[in-house]
Amino acid sequence: MATIDVFNYNVPAESDFGYSQAIKSGELIHVSGQLSFDEEGEFLYAGDFAAQLKQTYANMDKVLEHYGATRNQVVSQTLYVVNLRRNAAATAEGNLGYFGDHHPASTVLGITELTFPGQVIEIGFVIDTNLPA
């Protein structure tokens, strides 16, 4: 029987919207869309794509650390990008910088807006802890 392990930052949005940052079921970890927020759940860097992307990946690293996983175990990601045409090159550059030689399956969606005013990026992940770290 699979065990379930839930991870939260304990920020207000988790209880306000009724979700977890990540949930591990068996060997798979499903990570909710990560975005640019600090330890208190305050949204950071409105309108600054590069800064938001950097903070979003830093928050992803916290999820990986919690589960003892690595970037090499990320099997897929879904990126939601406001003004994708304008931010496509920065998205690719950030992705290559974060994953290096590892290339998870990716879906990139250009969208009109996200939750917070000035939010321009959100990324959800799936991690398989059966893969080599």
Side-chain angles (χ1 to χ4, degrees):
M1 183 168 161
T3 59
I4 294 177
D5 179 6
V6 175
F7 172 73
N8 285 308
Y9 294 117
N10 298 314
V11 296
E14 294 162 349
S15 60
D16 292 348
F17 288 95
Y19 75 97
S20 295
Q21 295 295 330
I23 185 166
K24 181 178 181 188
S25 178
E27 301 306 316
L28 290 179
I29 303 165
H30 297 271
V31 184
S32 293
Q34 297 297 290
L35 53 120
S36 180
F37 60 86
D38 63 16
E39 298 290 330
E40 288 77 42
E42 295 297 318
F43 177 67
L44 304 172
Y45 311 118
D48 185 335
F49 189 86
Q52 284 187 41
L53 188 60
K54 182 177 179 180
Q55 184 65 46
T56 298
Y57 281 132
N59 289 342
M60 181 57 195
D61 284 340
K62 294 174 189 173
V63 175
L64 291 169
E65 183 179 327
H66 171 80
Y67 288 107
T70 71
R71 296 172 185 182
N72 290 332
Q73 293 170 306
V74 175
V75 293
S76 69
Q77 62 177 342
T78 303
L79 297 89
Y80 303 90
V81 180
V82 174
N83 297 317
L84 180 57
R85 288 190 181 124
R86 179 173 55 207
N87 293 314
T91 300
E93 182 179 325
N95 191 63
L96 289 168
Y98 185 74
F99 286 108
D101 292 334
H102 178 63
H103 300 142
S106 294
T107 300
V108 181
L109 302 166
I111 59 171
T112 305
E113 63 183 4
L114 288 160
T115 304
F116 298 100
Q119 183 184 352
V120 293
I121 183 79
E122 187 165 328
I123 308 173
F125 298 86
V126 177
I127 302 159
D128 185 345
T129 58
N130 277 321
L131 295 176

